[in-house]
C-alpha cells in the first residue's frame, strides 16, 4: 500500500458542538496541557485525591488553593494556547472564589484580576460565613432537560451546597418551576444563545449563607 500526500489541510474550527467523537478529539489535543498542569504541582485536594483540572469535551475547570497558584496555572494555559493555536474564551470563563473567613470584606478587596489571552476573566466571590467545608459537585450535563429525574435526585437528595454544570442547555423558554421546583437554590446562569446546546450554570443552596461580589 502506498500513501501520497497531496496538500496540507488547515482547520480553523474547533470540535463540532454535540459531536460524538468531539470529547475524544479534544482530550487528545489538550492532553499536553493537562500533563503540564499536573507536573506544575498546583491544585487542590478533594478528599484524599489531588486534582489540578477537571476536563470534559471543550470545558476545563482549574482548581487552585490560592490566587497565585491560579495565576501560575493560567500562565501555563496561555503558553499552551500560543504554541498550539488554541483560543480560550474569556467571556465564557468565570473565576469563583470560595472562602470561609468571617471577614469577607477584607478578603474580597484583595481579589486580583485574572486574564486569559490578554482578556479579563470575570470573578465571583462566595463567602460561606464560617462554614468548615462546602459540599460541591461539577459535571457536564449534555442537556438537563433530557435528564430531569436524575437532575431532581441530584439537587434534592444529595445535599450539595454548590452545584456547577456545563452544557446545561438552558434557555429563556425553560421556566424556574422546571429547573428548581422546590425553590431550594439560587441559580446563576450563563446561557449559550447562539445555537442549541452549550451554556453553564451554578446553583447555590439557600441554606448556605453567602455574600457575592462581582469584579
Amino acid at each position: 500500500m502506498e500513501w501520497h500526500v497531496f496538500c496540507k489541510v488547515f482547520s480553523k474550527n474547533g470540535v463540532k458542538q454535540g459531536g460524538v467523537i468531539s470529547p475524544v478529539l479534544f482530550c487528545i489535543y489538550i492532553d499536553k496541557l493537562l500533563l503540564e498542569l499536573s507536573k506544575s504541582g498546583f491544585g487542590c485536594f478533594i478528599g484524599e485525591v489531588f486534582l489540578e483540572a477537571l476536563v470534559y469535551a471543550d470545558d476545563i475547570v482549574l482548581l487552585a488553593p490560592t490566587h497565585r497558584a491560579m495565576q501560575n496555572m493560567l500562565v501555563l494555559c496561555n503558553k499552551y494556547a500560543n504554541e498550539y493555536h488554541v483560543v480560550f474564551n474569556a467571556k465564557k470563563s468565570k473565576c469563583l472564589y470560595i472562602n470561609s473567613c468571617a471577614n469577607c470584606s477584607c478578603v474580597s478587596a484583595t481579589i486580583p484580576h485574572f486574564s486569559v489571552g490578554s482578556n479579563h476573566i470575570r470573578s465571583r466571590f462566595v463567602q460561606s460565613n464560617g462554614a468548615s467545608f462546602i459540599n460541591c459537585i461539577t459535571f457536564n450535563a449534555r442537556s438537563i432537560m433530557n435528564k430531569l429525574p436524575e437532575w431532581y435526585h441530584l439537587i434534592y437528595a444529595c445535599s450539595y451546597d454548590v452545584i456547577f454544570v456545563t452544557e446545561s442547555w438552558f434557555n429563556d423558554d425553560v421556566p424556574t418551576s422546571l429547573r428548581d421546583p422546590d425553590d431550594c437554590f439560587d441559580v446563576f446562569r450563563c446561557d449559550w444563545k447562539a445555537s442549541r446546546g452549550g451554556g453553564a450554570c451554578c446553583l447555590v443552596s439557600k441554606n448556605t449563607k453567602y455574600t457575592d461580589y462581582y469584579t
Side-chain angles (χ1 to χ4, degrees):
M1 180 180 292
E2 295 184 1
W3 295 90
H4 299 280
V5 178
F6 295 97
C7 63
K8 293 182 179 180
V9 177
F10 296 94
S11 175
K12 296 183 179 179
N13 296 323
V15 295
K16 182 180 179 181
Q17 178 75 33
V20 176
I21 199 173
S22 294
V24 177
L25 293 176
F26 179 75
C27 286
I28 293 173
Y29 198 79
I30 210 73
D31 187 61
K32 184 176 180 181
L33 173 60
L34 301 182
L35 291 175
E36 290 296 324
L37 290 171
S38 179
K39 290 190 299 183
S40 71
F42 301 115
C44 295
F45 277 98
I46 299 181
E48 297 181 355
V49 180
F50 185 80
L51 294 173
E52 61 284 330
L54 302 172
V55 180
Y56 183 83
D58 58 350
D59 297 306
I60 302 177
V61 177
L62 300 180
L63 304 173
T66 66
H67 67 270
R68 290 185 179 86
M70 177 59 71
Q71 188 61 64
N72 288 329
M73 296 175 81
L74 288 172
V75 168
L76 291 175
C77 290
N78 280 321
K79 181 180 178 181
Y80 177 87
N82 292 331
E83 184 177 355
Y84 289 91
H85 308 287
V86 174
V87 177
F88 293 109
N89 191 337
K91 291 183 179 180
K92 294 177 64 178
S93 302
K94 297 290 182 292
C95 181
L96 179 68
Y97 297 81
I98 299 178
N99 189 282
S100 60
C101 174
N103 189 357
C104 62
S105 59
C106 67
V107 175
S108 61
T110 61
I111 291 176
H113 294 288
F114 294 117
S115 63
V116 61
S118 300
N119 296 311
H120 175 65
I121 299 176
R122 190 177 184 183
S123 299
R124 182 179 184 88
F125 178 78
V126 175
Q127 205 295 114
S128 63
N129 291 344
S132 58
F133 65 92
I134 298 177
N135 192 16
C136 305
I137 187 173
T138 179
F139 65 96
N140 186 293
R142 291 293 299 276
S143 178
I144 290 176
M145 296 303 297
N146 291 339
K147 307 174 180 69
L148 285 179
E150 294 89 344
W151 171 249
Y152 294 149
H153 175 79
L154 176 78
I155 65 176
Y156 297 135
C158 297
S159 302
Y160 287 112
D161 301 308
V162 183
I163 302 172
F164 306 99
V165 185
T166 58
E167 299 285 342
S168 59
W169 292 30
F170 280 153
N171 56 54
D172 294 338
D173 296 329
V174 180
T176 303
S177 58
L178 281 178
R179 296 192 303 265
D180 178 18
D182 293 347
D183 194 29
C184 294
F185 292 86
D186 292 327
V187 182
F188 305 96
R189 293 165 44 190
C190 182
D191 298 337
W192 177 244
K193 300 181 182 296
S195 61
R196 179 174 177 266
C201 67
C202 173
L203 284 74
V204 181
S205 171
K206 292 187 175 180
N207 292 326
T208 301
K209 297 180 180 180
Y210 68 93
T211 304
D212 57 71
Y213 294 84
Y214 289 101
T215 61

